[in-house]
Amino acid sequence: MGDITLEIDGKSIAAKEGTTVLEAARSADIFIPTLCHNEMLEPYGGCRLCTVEVESRGRKKLVASCLYPVEPDLIVRTRTEMVDKVRKLVLEFLLAHAPDSVRMNELAAEYGADKDRFGKESSFCILCGLCVRYCAEVKKRNVIGFVDQGAKREINFIPELAAQYCWDCKECFPLCPTSYLQAAYHLTHAIAFPSLSLDEVAQA
Ligand code: SF4
Ligand code: FES
């Protein structure tokens, strides 16, 4: 695969064909915020926080940079009024679900997002899928999965598999942009092993 030259924020950048705008930006130390992206995992495109403006043959559009492939002579703008507006809206919507997320509150300050704009629906999980995908793609264990659809969609540990694999793994915990994953794990543990003391559950 050959090199492609594109422009990001006025900077000429060479990128490998088949890579994404996000990867090209990161290779040039240009920051684009992400929530559902992780370099170890397949692109997912779930949160839309990585939205940027791209211009090709005179036509502009907003795209998710973690999914959008580089192309020759593409012009990318990572901070326009519209891009910032989209990121602000995404953060306001997600903060209704996880108002205490440290990472999202830091980003909210950057984009002027109002965490109280939307009524609280504190599921504490923003369905970024990082835990589910990490367990499936990297660990090949599928201990965590999504259940239900729409507003009821949530992540769930399979207790039998969690008991077998999670106790000495927990590699997905630091990936979670909220604190929900740890809470869900402890809950699974408490339900699956009701004979454990609260101290043992807390240490699990
Ligand atoms: S528990 Fe955390 S990592 Fe898993 S989907 Fe929810 S927010 Fe993402
Ligand atoms: S980081 Fe690109 S859509 Fe979530």
Side-chain angles (χ1 to χ4, degrees):
M1 283 197 229
D3 272 354
I4 280 177
T5 303
L6 70 159
E7 182 188 302
I8 306 182
D9 292 346
K11 207 168 164 182
S12 180
I13 291 164
K16 289 261 175 283
E17 196 181 335
T19 59
T20 63
V21 166
L22 178 66
E23 288 170 309
R26 286 191 170 171
S27 75
D29 290 328
I30 295 172
F31 176 74
I32 297 174
T34 59
L35 279 172
C36 70
H37 180 76
N38 185 288
E39 281 161 15
M40 286 180 283
L41 307 176
E42 287 297 315
Y44 187 58
C47 72
R48 282 337 205 223
L49 190 68
C50 67
T51 294
V52 295
E53 180 187 282
V54 293
E55 181 177 341
S56 179
R57 293 178 212 95
R59 295 184 60 186
K60 294 179 187 174
K61 59 183 174 182
L62 296 174
V63 300
S65 61
C66 68
L67 293 177
Y68 202 84
V70 294
E71 54 185 70
D73 303 322
L74 189 71
I75 298 171
V76 181
R77 298 178 189 97
T78 68
R79 290 296 295 259
T80 67
E81 197 178 320
M82 192 52 86
V83 164
D84 280 12
K85 216 170 179 174
V86 170
R87 290 182 189 162
K88 174 176 177 288
L89 192 65
V90 166
L91 288 164
E92 288 172 337
F93 175 73
L94 294 177
L95 279 163
H97 293 273
D100 298 327
S101 160
V102 175
R103 170 139 176 71
M104 288 201 295
N105 275 290
E106 283 167 4
L107 288 164
E110 166 80 17
Y111 290 95
D114 174 5
K115 66 190 277 186
D116 298 317
R117 176 164 177 195
F118 297 112
K120 295 280 171 294
E121 295 177 40
S122 299
S123 55
F124 304 104
C125 173
I126 59 165
L127 302 176
C128 70
L130 284 170
C131 54
V132 174
R133 292 180 290 132
Y134 185 84
C135 196
E137 293 177 29
V138 177
K139 303 302 290 187
K140 317 269 184 230
R141 285 174 174 164
N142 296 298
V143 175
I144 322 170
F146 284 117
V147 290
D148 260 325
Q149 296 294 327
K152 289 188 174 162
R153 192 164 165 82
E154 60 181 15
I155 61 126
N156 221 337
F157 283 86
I158 298 171
E160 297 76 14
L161 294 181
Q164 198 176 343
Y165 295 122
C166 296
W167 66 275
D168 70 340
C169 173
K170 299 182 187 137
E171 288 171 26
C172 58
F173 281 16
L175 304 184
C176 180
T178 76
S179 54
Y180 182 71
L181 186 57
Q182 284 96 326
Y185 175 71
H186 292 315
L187 189 66
T188 305
H189 217 273
I191 291 169
F193 306 101
S195 58
L196 288 179
S197 71
L198 282 178
D199 282 348
E200 284 170 310
V201 169
Q203 285 162 16

